[in-house]
């Protein structure tokens, strides 16, 4: 979910990434603003950097959350940075609240994001078609109870969104704690909710084969330890690709590619199918 993102400063300068850091160093000498930004990017490291604006006011990082899942974190800076906080957007289903002071740095943004809940958030975002989005707020203390629901769409409201809103108000009394959350939503809204991208109906309860070894499970082998016989556990985040892999297979494949980069215990590379960025945590156990 993208929030608070700004398109200004998106004139990307590829020369500022990878081997072209000399240009960024040159900018850093020209003003205190550039010097601050350059220094703080150095603190984070250049490996997770994905995009960088030519004026150093916009950039995005590939980052892992506290569950090891990969996200793209976009940051937009104002010219009075660090007096004013950066604008932050991320592909997560909740509102990321940034705590900021004049002593804060970009690495603090990264650390705060990594500590935020991800799929454990109480908010769910559902694309209902026709540019309509349903925001469902689940009660932590009573997760099976009727949730709060908001309908977000184009202005003026489209007929599709109005119809969903009317169905919700009319049928919300049908909510039952005896059936699943998904079944309740489908019953009240009178429609089948979209399944995760790439998931076919017959695959709902079936393991998905790895896009590299073409097997559903890793071999049963003592050398694999706890990973012996495990199913696929990594999925490409590109919704038009959505290929699944065993982390072990993807790690071995990435290590065979010369363009793969490593930062601590994380490998950064590209999906074997769609070439979108992937990040895999190395499991040495």
């Amino acid at each position: 979910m993208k929030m608070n993102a700004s398109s200004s400063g998106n004139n990307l300068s590829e020369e500022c990434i990878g081997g072209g850091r000399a240009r960024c160093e040159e900018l850093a000498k020209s003003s205190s603003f550039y010097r601050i930004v350059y220094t703080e990017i150095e603190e984070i490291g250049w490996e997770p950097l994905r995009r960088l604006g030519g004026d150093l006011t916009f950039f995005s990082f590939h980052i892992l959350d506290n569950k090891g899942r990969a996200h793209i974190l976009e940051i937009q800076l104002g010219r009075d940075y660090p007096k004013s906080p950066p604008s932050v957007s991320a592909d997560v289903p909740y509102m990321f609240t940034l705590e900021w002071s004049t002593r804060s740095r970009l690495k603090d943004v990264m650390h705060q994001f990594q500590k935020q809940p991800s799929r454990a958030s109480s908010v769910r975002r559902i694309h209902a078609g026709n540019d309509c989005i349903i925001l469902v707020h689940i009660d932590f203390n009573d997760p099976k109870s009727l949730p709060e629901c908001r309908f977000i769409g184009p202005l003026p409201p489209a007929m599709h969104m109005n119809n969903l809103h009317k169905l919700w108000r009319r049928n919300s009394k049908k909510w039952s704690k005896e059936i699943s959350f998904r079944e309740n939503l489908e019953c009240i809204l009178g429609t089948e909710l979209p399944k995760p991208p790439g998931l076919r109906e017959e695959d709902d309860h079936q393991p998905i084969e790895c896009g590299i070894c073409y097997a559903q499970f890793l071999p049963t082998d003592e050398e694999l330890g706890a990973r012996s016989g495990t199913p696929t556990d990594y999925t490409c985040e590109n919704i038009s690709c959505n290929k699944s892999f065993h982390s072990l297979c993807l790690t071995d494949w990435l290590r065979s590619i010369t363009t793969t980069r490593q930062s601590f215990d994380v490998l950064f590379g590209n999906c074997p199918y769609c070439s979108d960025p992937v990040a895999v945590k190395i499991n040495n156990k």
Side-chain angles (χ1 to χ4, degrees), residues 201-230:
E201 185 174 353
E202 61 270 22
D203 291 335
D204 282 354
H205 304 290
Q206 296 294 326
I208 302 174
E209 70 177 19
C210 174
I212 295 175
C213 73
Y214 301 106
Q216 295 177 343
F217 301 93
L218 287 173
T220 303
D221 192 327
E222 291 183 0
E223 292 184 1
L224 296 178
R227 292 174 292 182
S228 176
T230 56

Side-chain angles (χ1 to χ4, degrees), residues 6 69 112 139 156 265 274:
S6 173
R69 290 182 285 257
Q112 287 185 43
D139 185 351
D265 60 345
C274 69

Side-chain angles (χ1 to χ4, degrees), residues 76-105:
Q76 179 79 47
L77 303 181
R79 281 296 177 180
D80 58 346
Y81 176 86
K83 290 182 179 180
S84 64
S87 176
V88 181
S89 67
D91 52 346
V92 290
Y94 59 88
M95 297 296 292
F96 171 54
T97 303
L98 177 65
E99 296 181 2
W100 189 260
S101 72
T102 54
R103 295 183 179 181
S104 298
R105 306 171 75 85

Side-chain angles (χ1 to χ4, degrees), residues 10-284:
N10 284 19
N11 297 323
L12 304 183
S13 176
E14 294 296 337
E15 64 181 10
C16 287
I17 302 177
R21 287 161 57 182
R23 166 61 178 159
C24 298
E25 293 177 3
E26 181 181 343
L27 281 174
K29 298 175 183 178
S30 64
S31 74
S32 60
F33 172 81
Y34 291 133
R35 186 163 56 252
I36 290 171
V37 175
Y38 175 77
T39 301
E40 294 187 13
I41 293 177
E42 283 277 301
E43 287 181 340
I44 295 171
W46 294 87
E47 292 82 3
L49 188 65
R50 286 295 175 268
R51 293 194 295 168
L52 181 63
D55 58 358
L56 302 192
T57 61
F58 173 85
F59 29 84
S60 64
F61 292 94
H62 205 268
I63 183 174
L64 299 180
D65 62 23
N66 57 3
K67 297 295 184 180
R69 290 182 285 257
H71 301 276
I72 294 297
L73 184 67
E74 296 183 346
I75 301 176
Q76 179 79 47
L77 303 181
R79 281 296 177 180
D80 58 346
Y81 176 86
K83 290 182 179 180
S84 64
S87 176
V88 181
S89 67
D91 52 346
V92 290
Y94 59 88
M95 297 296 292
F96 171 54
T97 303
L98 177 65
E99 296 181 2
W100 189 260
S101 72
T102 54
R103 295 183 179 181
S104 298
R105 306 171 75 85
L106 290 179
K107 65 178 182 181
D108 297 319
V109 178
M110 309 285 279
H111 293 160
Q112 287 185 43
F113 178 80
Q114 289 175 317
K115 292 179 181 179
Q116 290 279 332
S118 50
R119 294 177 187 172
S121 170
S122 63
V123 180
R124 288 296 179 269
R125 184 172 182 261
I126 302 171
H127 289 272
N130 296 327
D131 296 325
C132 178
I133 296 173
I134 305 174
L135 286 183
V136 181
H137 297 256
I138 304 169
D139 185 351
F140 268 131
N141 298 317
D142 190 8
K144 290 187 177 182
S145 64
L146 178 70
E148 294 183 19
C149 190
R150 293 177 57 199
F151 296 85
I152 302 175
L155 293 175
M159 182 179 297
H160 178 66
M161 187 174 72
N162 283 333
N163 289 338
L164 289 175
H165 198 186
K166 289 178 182 178
L167 285 170
W168 180 264
R169 287 185 298 178
R170 185 174 64 202
N171 297 330
S172 58
K173 293 181 180 179
K174 296 181 180 180
W175 188 274
S176 172
K177 294 185 178 182
E178 304 302 320
I179 61 178
S180 70
F181 196 91
R182 181 190 183 93
E183 289 174 315
N184 271 307
L185 288 178
E186 291 180 336
C187 176
I188 290 178
L189 298 175
T191 185
E192 182 178 358
L193 296 178
K195 292 181 172 61
L199 183 64
R200 301 185 302 272
E201 185 174 353
E202 61 270 22
D203 291 335
D204 282 354
H205 304 290
Q206 296 294 326
I208 302 174
E209 70 177 19
C210 174
I212 295 175
C213 73
Y214 301 106
Q216 295 177 343
F217 301 93
L218 287 173
T220 303
D221 192 327
E222 291 183 0
E223 292 184 1
L224 296 178
R227 292 174 292 182
S228 176
T230 56
T232 53
D233 57 353
Y234 187 97
T235 303
C236 176
E237 295 186 346
N238 181 347
I239 60 174
S240 62
C241 175
N242 207 236
K243 282 289 184 180
S244 295
F245 309 94
H246 299 114
S247 293
L248 182 63
C249 295
L250 188 55
T251 296
D252 290 343
W253 188 87
L254 288 174
R255 282 174 167 164
S256 70
I257 305 300
T258 57
T259 55
T260 298
R261 303 176 303 282
Q262 182 172 346
S263 177
F264 297 99
D265 60 345
V266 179
L267 291 177
F268 295 92
N270 302 95
C271 173
Y273 285 81
C274 69
S275 298
D276 264 24
V278 294
V280 184
K281 190 172 184 178
I282 302 171
N283 187 347
N284 295 317

